[in-house]
Amino acid sequence: MQYRINLPADYDMGIIRDRVERRGSAMDRFPGLRFKAYLIRERRRGEPTNEYAPFYVWDDIEGMRRFLWGGAGFAGIVASFGRPAVQDWTVAAVLDGPSRHHAPRWASRTTTPLPGRAVPEEAVPAAISELRAGLAPEVHSAVLAVDVTTWSLCAFTLLTRSPEVGEAETYELLHLSTGPAA
C-alpha cells in the first residue's frame, strides 16, 4: 500500500525529514508489517514535486487494518495532512536482492498496464521472472504488485544507491521499518 502527500513547491522538506527521524522507529516491529519505506521526492533535487509517499508491504491484512483504523500510526498522518487516498495492491512477489543486508537509501516505482488481452495467470509469473532476472547488485529488495482496479503491474525496488535516470519514479528512502518477522 502507498499514500502520497503532495506538498507545495516551496515546502521545507526538512520538516518531513525531522518527522521521520523522530517518528520512523515507531513502526519498527509493527505486527503484520513486512516493511515500511519512508519515501520522499524533492523538487530541489530535480523531481517534479515535493512529496511524502510511504510504501508498505504487509504480511497480513489485520496488521494493515490495525495501522489504518487502530488509532495509532495513520492517525498521525491524518492529523498532520488530512486523510490521503491509500493505494492498495495485491502483492504478487517480494524478492530479496543481492544487497539485502545493506541499508537501502533509494527506491524506484514503475507501473505497467497489462495489455487488454493479457491473461493475468501468465502475465504475472512472467513479470516476476523478469523482476527476478533484473536484480542488480544494488537492489535491496523488489516488490511486484497487481492493481486489479486498473489491471496494471506495479514494481517497487529498494536500492542502496541512486537509481539511473529513466522512466521510473524515484524516491529518497529516509528510513526502513521492518516487522517482527524480518
Side-chain angles (χ1 to χ4, degrees):
M1 98 180 186
Q2 184 181 39
Y3 49 86
R4 297 173 178 215
I5 299 168
N6 289 310
L7 300 162
D10 61 349
Y11 189 83
D12 178 3
M13 292 300 285
I15 295 168
I16 300 296
R17 290 175 184 281
D18 291 342
R19 177 188 185 95
V20 171
E21 187 174 324
R22 283 184 287 105
R23 299 180 180 187
S25 63
M27 290 296 292
D28 294 351
R29 291 174 291 292
F30 191 91
L33 179 69
R34 169 90 48 105
F35 67 79
K36 174 183 180 178
Y38 293 79
L39 305 177
I40 64 169
R41 298 170 76 191
E42 289 186 84
R43 285 178 55 92
R44 72 178 183 88
R45 293 185 183 232
E47 296 295 336
T49 186
N50 284 330
E51 184 177 71
Y52 178 45
F55 172 69
Y56 302 73
V57 174
W58 296 97
D59 282 328
D60 65 62
I61 193 76
E62 290 306 317
M64 185 176 87
R65 286 181 184 149
R66 263 191 308 280
F67 174 74
L68 290 172
W69 305 335
F74 194 63
I77 290 295
V78 174
S80 297
F81 302 103
R83 187 175 57 216
V86 177
Q87 292 177 286
D88 180 22
W89 301 282
T90 300
V91 173
V94 179
L95 306 174
D96 289 341
S99 289
R100 175 70 176 141
H101 300 291
H102 301 284
R105 301 301 305 148
W106 301 93
S108 67
R109 173 184 164 177
T110 58
T111 303
T112 309
L114 283 172
R117 299 218 183 265
V119 178
E121 296 86 9
E122 296 169 3
V124 173
I128 293 169
S129 293
E130 185 177 325
L131 188 63
R132 183 174 282 115
L135 292 176
E138 66 273 11
V139 173
H140 172 275
S141 52
V143 177
L144 182 72
V146 181
D147 183 339
V148 296
T149 61
T150 62
W151 288 108
S152 57
L153 300 173
C154 184
F156 272 90
T157 306
L158 306 185
L159 304 150
T160 57
R161 68 174 177 81
S162 180
E164 300 293 325
V165 175
E167 308 258 331
E169 293 179 10
T170 59
Y171 301 90
E172 183 179 356
L173 196 159
L174 302 179
H175 178 76
L176 184 69
S177 286
T178 57

